[in-house]
Amino acid sequence: LTALEEPLYIDRFLFMSWPKSTLSVLVWTPALGAFLLLFVRDERLRRRIAFGFPAFSLAVAAALALTFDPDASLRELHRWIPQLGLAYDLDLDGFSSLLIVWISLLALVATASADPSERHVDSQILLAETALLGLALAGDGVLLLSFYGAGLLSTALLLRRAGAIQAFLVFQSVAAALAVVSIAVSYHLARIQTGFPSAEIARFSSLVTFPDFRARMLLLGAAMVAFAGPLFPFTSWVKAPGLSREGRLLLLGGWSLAGALFFSKAVLPAYSGGGASWLPTAIAALSLVYAGVAARLSWPSLLVGAQGLVVLGLLSPTTEGVAAGRAGMMQLAIALSAIAIWTSDTDDRGPRLTSAFAVAMFLPVSWLVLRDRWNDAPVLAGLAFLGLALMLFHAARRLPPLDRRRGLLLLPLVALWSLTLLAPSRFLPEGSGTIALEEE
Amino acid sequence: VIAHAALAIVPLLAAWTLRTGKRGRWIAATLDAAALFAVAIFWTLPDADWSGLFFSASILVAVLFAVLSPEEDLDAQARLHLGASLGIVAAASDNLAWSVPAVLLSALLVQETRKRLHFFLVPLLAALVGLVPSVGNAAIPIGLLGLAATWLVAIREVLRNSPASLVNRTAISFVLLVGFVSVALRFPAGLALHAVALGCLGLGALGALGATRVTTFLASMTLARAGLVLFAQLGGTPGRAPAMMALAVSGAALLLLAAALEDTESVEDGSTLGSVSRRLVLVLGALSLGSFPPFPGFYILFPLSSAVFERGYSNALIAAALLLFLVALGCLRLVSRAVDSHGARSNEVGIARAALVLSLVAILAFSIVPAPLAEIARIAALARN
């Protein structure tokens, strides 16, 4: 369908080493697999499709990440609803080149973990993969929200129980509503400042606004992350009981990215620098303290603590801090997915081991973020450090002996985590030039 | 005039054929489809009344969908066609002296009203006062409020007390909605429109969150969507195209929801549906009504809010955003029941084929390639000036 749409004029001048529809192929391949699964009755064929489509996505994503060139980045731009100024805009940057690899790998692992007797679970995983890939690549605000909504619903489907779904949806709907308001404000500003309606995210950074207005919009975006993330105290929905393994994997490894990703893509470029970031910073630091003093270092508290660290990084006044926050976003997803590989919280050794892993994986990024925040907000950085130290203490005290067989399952995650450490420049925000990280 | 007269006569003919029995249903469906085809032809004519054609097409699609759905009560379908004919007259006429009585008459005709006639009479008289030219501008708010109250009573009566199928009842309430909105969009954006729009949204939000009966839920959703459409009118001409799109999306979504909830009594029954396609249609309908991304109707929120904000209605916009959020939460209440995998799936009734086809076409047209609808709505909105 996108090939039928007329490309925008800018599309003709973009130099790209890949065919123009590569990003669409990557995003929509899993959805096509989900659609095909509706009509397939044969169990073997079903499993082949369920594995084949995410495997193909992973191959394309890996090839795109390996050949990524910041000077010839891939972008697909078509008219979608020209009357409303909305475009079908997919854009690959350094950070999203890593994210797409992670999301494709996650979908494959989730499919492998899923219970084959549950008939529609493979389709749901594939739909969630499409939504998350779209979320990572969308370059138009309304398209981003469309993928956001689709991801939210497909993740909710994996929660299975009406009570858990309702709690999740209520909190996430607040986040989605705040995200819609944020994009609607940017859309309106773009319309009155340029004369043409547009939700193109790249334009948001050139919007002219007063400092107090920027501060309010930043708070709005931070509130969105607090509900979606979640941050302390909006943590009620994360204790979803009876969560399936694939549901937990996609919730922790995939959906945990959504709120912070929206914040870093659509809010920070337009509204950072307006001041008043102390409130979200304080909430983020409190989230780390909450995770540190939690009675048990289980996935809900780890998720909240790690999200706090990510937000601390994203709100950092320096480019390096923001890059560390973005790196943290990805490492949060990888680290917490390790916990989801174990069957349930009742099998205590697995979560204990992987909780320790999760905290350890976060240490390099934590060091960068906290060191950076120490310069501008020493009290809050101190609080956050206290929370992190308590988390470490919990993890070290409860560390069980390593089970070799299950430890093997962690290998791909550790490998990808190590790879993310090898490519720090890809986490730098757009337009920050070629600033070399000290740690590089 | 000839085009609109022809379009208004076709449902009358269909109503007459429906009286002849079940074979008449197919003739009626053919007549409705032919009228829709005629709308497509009239649309290409220079100087066509695009706005009137847009409303007529919305009415005809709803009527066709209802005729194609299973229904034992042919009398109700005949009443639906009478209402549709009057709705087309209301939408097509430029003169309020024609269109207001047409809407009022259709509200009286579509449901047996003898027992509750007094409910109709007071707002009906108020609506007619608005038409008296000698009273002047002061009567306009009274007229609008009276019209809104008549419409409100009519959809409540239709949805809650009619013996017809849920799809048929919803189609009737949508036809009334189109007639009401086509008239209300001609009123200036003043305090009365403000109050009616927010009042409808507020009542709709309360009903969506608290309703236990399916019919109350559907009536609340109809109210909320009417509120959204009227609210867009506050944005003037730039807000009118999103209003038109919201109306079209509302029709498709309300009918889908009704088709999925047929034979159910309470909202809780959503968790007892056995058919996957029926649950899917239910989810699609509910999420579309809640303007949830990426479902139909979500993207119109951006031009709509921008237009309303530009006119200085910032406080009303915040109130409307909050109420819309509550409506969305009400829709999610239904969705969470439909996707609950631990519910007892005792209701094994499937879904009508017409509902499935409409759901796929509506989702494709309104979500994936909405540009043609946006263009049609833009042309229709500009024609209303």
Side-chain angles (χ1 to χ4, degrees), chain A residues 80 83 160 173 188 191, chain B residues 306 309-310 332 341 368 375:
Chain A
W80 182 30
Q83 297 85 355
R160 304 280 158 73
S173 301
H188 175 70
R191 188 168 86 87
Chain B
S306 180
F309 188 78
E310 201 175 10
L332 290 176
S341 61
I368 303 171
E375 184 60 18

Side-chain angles (χ1 to χ4, degrees), chain A residues 1 80-81 83-84 86 142 145-146 149-150 153 157 160-162 165-166 169 173-174 177 180 183-184 187-188 191, chain B residues 276 287 292-295 298-299 302-303 305-306 309-310 325 332 336-337 339-342 367-368 370-371 374-375:
Chain A
L1 281 172
W80 182 30
I81 319 176
Q83 297 85 355
L84 309 184
L86 306 179
V142 176
L145 285 173
S146 298
L153 288 169
L157 285 177
R160 304 280 158 73
R161 288 178 191 275
I165 293 172
Q166 203 161 341
L169 283 180
S173 301
V174 177
V180 170
I183 295 289
Y187 177 87
H188 175 70
R191 188 168 86 87
Chain B
V276 175
L287 291 171
F292 203 86
F295 292 90
F298 150 69
Y299 43 79
F302 298 92
S305 56
S306 180
F309 188 78
E310 201 175 10
F325 174 67
L332 290 176
S336 63
R337 276 151 187 77
V339 299
D340 176 19
S341 61
H342 290 82
S367 282
I368 303 171
E375 184 60 18

